[in-house]
Amino acid sequence: MKRAEIEITGIVQGVGFRPFIFNLAKTHSVRGWVLNNEKGVLIDAESDDGNLDVFIHDIAGLAPPLSRIETLTVKHSNPLGYGTFQIRASQASEEKFALISPDVATCDQCLAELFSAENFRHRYPFINCTRCGPRFTIIKDVPYDRHKTTMAPFTMCAVCHAEYENPSDRRFHAQPNACASCGPSLRLVDRNGEGILGDPIDTALSLLREGQIVAVKGLGGFHLSCDAENDKAVSVLRSRKYREDKPFAVMCRDLEEVRRHCELDQAEQDLLLSNERPIVLLKRKKESTAASAVAPFQNNLGVMLPYSPLHHLLLDGPLKALVMTSGNKSDEPIAYKNGDALSRLSTIADCFLLHDREIHMRCDDSVARVYGGKPYMIRRSRGYVPFPIRLPFPVQDILACGGELKNTFCLTRDTYAFMSHHIGDLENLETLEAFGKGVEHFKNLFSIEPRLIAYDLHPEYLSTKYALSTPNIPKVGVQHHHAHIVSAMAENGVEEEVIGVAFDGTGFGPDGTIWGGEFLKADLRSFRRVAHMKEVSMPGSSRAIREPWRMAMVYLLEAFGDRAPALNIDFMKRVDLKKWGILRRMIERKVNSPLTSSMGRLFDAVASLCSIRDEVHYEGQAAIELEMIAVRDTEPSYPFLMDGTRDPLIIDPAPIIRGVVEDLANGIPAARISSRFHRTVADLVLKTCDRIRAHEKINRVVLSGGVFQNMFLLSLAFDGLSHSGFEVIVHHRVPANDGGISLGQAVIAHMGDDSCV
Ligand SMILES: [Zn+2]
Ligand SMILES: [Zn+2]
């Protein structure tokens, strides 16, 4: 006879772990008990020697699909002579820490029940079990028990309760367990909140078919939904939402429907079908019948599959593809409460498909694409959060506040980095409030009391102001691009020095200029700027970001000086020479014209020169559209200048601009110019890294920053570097854009930031 006390940490709550243990114990004649505590699962087991060993061995080997065992410790002690095996009530222990499962897409078994006329949950829109359903978005506190979720107000009926109490049932301790007679229900209301008669789903569907816009309450917030093939409906949605060009996501009934609109390889298919169910950016087929207003000027389409029972029901009717875009007006946070949605979305939606299961934490859909056969995250949120990124070493309790655009924050303890859900662009009070609430929620869930706060050096970021106004905690300012590089290092477990190539739109440099075309010699603690793009003016500051033609003008002046206005290209025909004169004086007198080394601005300039876009409606639009049109055939690259006499080394793109202008004047199509430009930037990365390697003897290159969401550039740079013997590190699980920098900030703050310029 042997007895073992077994402690398991990881995602082991709310995923059917205790019934699994219960059944395993029965199989191996093990007696004792199992319970949830605030760290995970605790088991006291006794049996004869052989059985107990197999039992312990099988825990890791046969664990339920959604669980993730982080640690499993076994302590042997004297048998107590248990008679049975029991599941005991949860125990609150001193140390309060357990991992929490993200929300999980409806499992196959629940789906089969949903559509089975014999099942008593037939067409019940809130069906779930221990293998699927809402988690993170309904959890108010830990440990994960029903009374600490937004399911608390619903009392289970006898049938649901029997399942909940039956250890051999799939719904044993499924905290959101419910049915039509005891659980949450749907309601369809008009924009004044007045109920609409009829079956909510059937009526919503017929309204959608008529071209109306329906606000649908989902797992992490509201979607604005309409028929994806109805041009008029999609255009109306666009104008009411004040969203001019930014693409909408489409939810397709199944893979077959996805294939009707997009090309799909195996890795993309796996990502679409994964439990996380992100929006996946796919290459759109020419024959796709999705309305052109879904994703104007794009050859990609953001597609996802249904992930809640309600979605499955909505797509079970005549409509096979629905626009499902976040329920907000332009840049506000997504609405997630019924009342809030009714007041904020009533000018957009014609009606509201509501339910009474509250969402405790809003959580936007995640967005990803596939690069190199693996997911390449663009927005890491629903389905992934709050699962932590594991660090290669333990760190202190730190709060990293992230950046401004696409903000996430990060809280660390031990070897866990808990990156938050997508907070959004921290440009208004609502988003700042969501940020503050999110921080408090994560601190409570994971029992983290930060001893250090990390923030971006940009003094005007609201995240920076939040950090600096937090009393009594030491603070560490972290340079934006250093944070990008370290975030990629951290997710890849890299600790040694690297050449960090950080290309993005805007990041505050310690010298007061705006950085964004940077080559850093970096480790987890510090960095040195070893090379960068030549600085140019941004006349009008943020207006130069919204109006790429301003950057085109700046680069023309750099490349041609006074001869620029006489150039025989379409761009000059569009330019208002009066404005040109004003901007030129602003630059000369250094009025509201900060200096920048941003690679994003160079992309903007080339896009405008190629007559692709003179003004943008969302971040990165010009660069995205420049990438879209590039032909993939081999084209020669343009020349550029490297001034190696300077430290840091300066890369001057003036010859690139002269090459682009010459091609334009010769009538070369923009698609070829774009291709040549992309190849040039990849070339410039390779040649600069080569030089740095010769001096610094570093062979490892990290590619990060929002510009590396450009797949054409990423693969050209990756291939070029790999071919020259570099080891190349790229992002996969953490976004290359500013949504990823909170992770880097936290790690740098932990190491003790003594960075220099
Ligand atoms: Zn299920
Ligand atoms: Zn029930």
Side-chain angles (χ1 to χ4, degrees):
M1 190 73 129
K2 249 175 36 173
R3 171 169 168 240
E5 292 171 77
I6 306 160
E7 194 172 82
I8 304 168
T9 66
I11 295 193
V12 287
Q13 296 185 4
V15 290
F17 209 85
R18 286 172 304 172
F20 155 69
I21 294 294
F22 181 87
N23 289 319
L24 196 64
K26 276 210 259 180
T27 311
H28 298 296
S29 314
V30 169
R31 295 168 301 280
W33 48 261
V34 56
L35 59 78
N36 276 354
N37 66 13
E38 282 161 331
K39 280 167 117 175
V41 163
L42 197 63
I43 303 165
D44 199 345
E46 55 185 54
S47 186
D48 47 41
D49 295 12
N51 272 337
L52 194 65
D53 292 342
V54 181
F55 172 74
I56 293 169
H57 178 263
D58 280 357
I59 292 176
L62 304 176
L66 290 183
S67 65
R68 297 205 210 189
I69 295 179
E70 293 276 335
T71 62
L72 190 156
T73 48
V74 181
K75 210 170 74 190
H76 287 285
S77 47
N78 293 329
L80 297 174
Y82 290 117
T84 57
F85 195 89
Q86 293 173 335
I87 294 176
R88 290 196 175 169
S90 297
Q91 181 189 71
S93 62
E94 299 273 300
E95 199 197 5
K96 187 176 134 182
F97 179 64
L99 295 183
I100 287 171
S101 166
D103 302 289
V104 184
T106 309
C107 73
D108 290 344
Q109 280 153 298
C110 284
L111 202 55
E113 292 173 357
L114 181 68
F115 288 112
S116 155
E118 285 81 55
N119 194 279
F120 84 108
R121 290 194 182 87
H122 180 225
R123 296 184 69 82
Y124 180 57
F126 303 93
I127 187 170
N128 67 81
C129 71
T130 49
R131 289 167 206 167
C132 72
R135 298 286 188 280
F136 170 65
T137 52
I138 61 163
I139 292 176
K140 295 163 98 167
D141 201 357
V142 281
Y144 175 57
D145 269 328
R146 188 172 175 111
H147 69 280
K148 290 186 172 174
T149 71
T150 59
M151 283 301 291
F154 301 96
T155 308
M156 273 182 271
C157 68
V159 183
C160 288
H161 195 256
E163 292 172 329
Y164 184 88
E165 292 295 342
N166 177 3
S168 55
D169 195 282
R170 201 170 92 245
R171 296 198 169 87
F172 176 73
H173 284 213
Q175 306 303 347
N177 190 30
C179 75
S181 71
C182 68
S185 56
L186 288 178
R187 193 156 61 94
L188 186 70
V189 301
D190 65 16
R191 52 172 60 157
N192 301 314
E194 300 289 332
I196 299 175
L197 288 177
D199 176 82
I201 291 177
D202 291 346
T203 316
L205 270 177
S206 58
L207 294 174
L208 283 167
R209 276 188 89 182
E210 285 168 21
Q212 297 213 23
I213 294 161
V214 182
V216 180
K217 187 174 179 181
L219 272 185
F222 277 80
H223 281 121
L224 288 161
S225 183
C226 70
D227 178 357
E229 294 178 291
N230 183 328
D231 283 286
K232 190 158 166 263
V234 180
S235 304
V236 168
L237 175 56
R238 212 165 253 299
S239 68
R240 290 190 192 163
K241 200 171 140 78
Y242 299 113
R243 180 141 144 176
E244 278 174 273
D245 299 328
K246 202 173 177 181
F248 289 150
V250 172
M251 187 179 275
C252 289
R253 172 192 290 184
D254 49 23
L255 283 177
E256 191 189 332
E257 178 65 12
V258 176
R259 273 192 215 97
R260 236 167 47 76
H261 300 284
C262 298
E263 284 166 24
L264 194 58
D265 68 21
Q266 187 60 46
E268 289 165 336
Q269 187 172 317
D270 293 346
L271 187 56
L272 277 171
L273 285 170
S274 66
N275 283 326
E276 292 87 356
R277 293 282 156 111
I279 296 167
V280 182
L281 296 188
L282 299 170
K283 188 154 189 283
R284 183 176 178 163
K285 286 182 177 167
K286 283 202 176 65
E287 57 269 34
S288 161
T289 48
S292 59
V294 168
F297 313 108
Q298 297 271 328
N299 39 26
N300 287 337
L301 207 56
V303 177
M304 61 183 150
L305 292 174
Y307 56 82
S308 81
L310 177 56
H311 297 150
H312 285 285
L313 292 170
L314 281 173
L315 284 156
D316 183 47
L319 298 171
K320 292 180 190 163
L322 290 169
V323 164
M324 281 284 196
T325 185
S326 47
N328 56 3
K329 197 179 280 178
S330 66
D331 295 325
E332 295 170 357
I334 181 171
Y336 69 109
K337 292 193 160 130
N338 291 350
D340 184 39
L342 276 166
S343 67
R344 278 167 56 204
L345 305 179
S346 63
T347 54
I348 307 176
D350 297 298
C351 61
F352 292 76
L353 191 52
L354 305 176
H355 62 71
D356 50 359
R357 185 179 70 202
E358 264 184 57
I359 297 168
H360 185 69
M361 232 337 93
R362 67 159 64 83
C363 199
D364 290 71
D365 291 321
S366 295
V367 185
R369 63 197 313 164
V370 167
Y371 174 72
K374 286 199 275 184
Y376 189 79
M377 209 51 69
I378 292 167
R379 182 202 285 164
R380 184 181 183 273
S381 203
R382 185 209 24 91
Y384 296 91
V385 171
F387 194 69
I389 303 289
R390 285 304 288 273
L391 301 171
F393 44 80
V395 296
Q396 315 162 54
D397 286 15
I398 295 169
L399 166 64
C401 294
E404 179 174 60
L405 299 178
K406 306 177 166 67
N407 176 279
T408 65
F409 59 83
C410 179
L411 277 156
T412 55
R413 66 173 280 169
D414 225 354
T415 54
Y416 301 104
F418 296 96
M419 291 182 75
S420 76
H421 49 300
H422 170 78
I423 302 290
D425 297 346
L426 271 184
E427 288 176 320
N428 52 50
L429 206 59
E430 293 80 9
T431 322
L432 183 63
E433 267 173 30
F435 174 89
K437 276 189 192 163
V439 169
E440 291 309 315
H441 188 53
F442 270 64
K443 276 163 66 177
N444 180 50
L445 287 186
F446 302 111
S447 200
I448 296 175
E449 207 35 71
R451 291 155 186 272
L452 207 55
I453 296 189
Y455 62 93
D456 191 277
L457 293 177
H458 199 303
E460 292 306 316
Y461 283 3
L462 289 179
S463 54
T464 301
K465 291 182 174 173
Y466 174 95
L468 295 179
S469 66
T470 309
N472 305 327
I473 305 181
K475 290 144 188 110
V476 182
V478 177
Q479 202 280 324
H480 190 92
H481 302 95
H482 188 208
H484 269 306
I485 298 304
V486 171
S487 105
M489 292 170 72
E491 75 152 299
N492 286 288
V494 173
E495 297 180 58
E496 302 78 22
E497 206 165 41
V498 301
I499 301 170
V501 184
F503 286 176
D504 67 358
T506 304
F508 196 82
D511 60 357
T513 68
I514 297 165
W515 291 15
E518 311 304 316
F519 294 80
L520 310 178
K521 178 186 173 210
D523 58 23
L524 301 179
R525 186 180 300 272
S526 62
F527 74 95
R528 194 162 68 81
R529 191 187 198 193
V530 284
H532 63 86
M533 299 301 293
K534 188 183 175 196
E535 288 147 348
V536 295
S537 300
M538 285 170 63
S541 199
S542 60
R543 282 196 70 174
I545 300 174
R546 291 195 301 274
E547 299 175 19
W549 75 268
R550 291 180 183 232
M551 295 314 299
M553 176 200 150
V554 166
Y555 277 106
L556 285 180
L557 286 171
E558 288 282 316
F560 296 96
D562 290 336
R563 291 187 296 128
L567 294 171
N568 182 28
I569 52 174
D570 285 349
F571 174 81
M572 283 313 305
K573 292 173 194 152
R574 296 196 303 275
V575 164
D576 176 345
L577 283 175
K578 224 168 104 188
K579 273 195 194 163
W580 175 289
I582 296 169
L583 290 194
R584 189 156 183 192
R585 279 194 297 282
M586 280 173 68
I587 296 168
E588 282 161 4
R589 293 177 195 161
K590 301 188 167 56
V591 178
N592 194 21
S593 300
L595 290 176
T596 187
S597 56
S598 163
M599 181 55 82
R601 297 293 85 77
L602 181 61
F603 269 83
D604 284 354
V606 172
S608 176
L609 286 175
C610 291
S611 303
I612 290 165
R613 188 153 288 281
D614 294 331
E615 292 182 20
V616 297
H617 299 122
Y618 61 91
E619 194 208 3
Q621 185 181 10
I624 290 168
E625 290 173 13
L626 185 65
E627 177 194 358
M628 293 291 162
I629 62 154
V631 291
R632 299 305 199 250
D633 329 328
T634 309
E635 294 275 343
S637 55
Y638 296 115
F640 54 89
L641 280 175
M642 258 205 273
D643 185 351
T645 63
R646 305 257 301 269
D647 183 20
L649 186 133
I650 308 289
I651 303 149
D652 182 354
I656 304 178
I657 300 298
R658 286 194 283 270
V660 168
V661 167
E662 193 185 323
D663 276 355
L664 286 168
N666 288 333
I668 306 284
R672 283 181 57 201
I673 297 176
S674 171
S675 177
R676 296 189 66 179
F677 175 68
H678 277 84
R679 283 167 203 286
T680 308
V681 176
D683 220 27
L684 168 167
V685 169
L686 175 59
K687 294 220 168 86
T688 310
C689 288
D690 259 337
R691 269 189 98 123
I692 298 170
R693 174 165 65 180
H695 276 102
E696 309 285 348
K697 312 290 176 223
I698 306 173
N699 194 49
R700 200 180 257 158
V701 178
V702 172
L703 304 176
S704 186
V707 168
F708 286 108
Q709 294 173 105
N710 180 323
M711 289 294 117
F712 188 35
L713 175 65
L714 180 67
S715 37
L716 288 172
F718 187 97
D719 294 349
L721 287 163
S722 307
H723 196 251
S724 294
F726 284 99
E727 183 193 341
V728 192
I729 309 288
V730 300
H731 285 278
H732 281 289
R733 290 174 297 151
V734 174
N737 61 47
D738 285 5
I741 65 171
S742 57
L743 176 65
Q745 289 175 343
V747 172
I748 295 165
H750 169 77
M751 300 303 287
D753 187 49
D754 53 16
S755 51
C756 56
V757 182

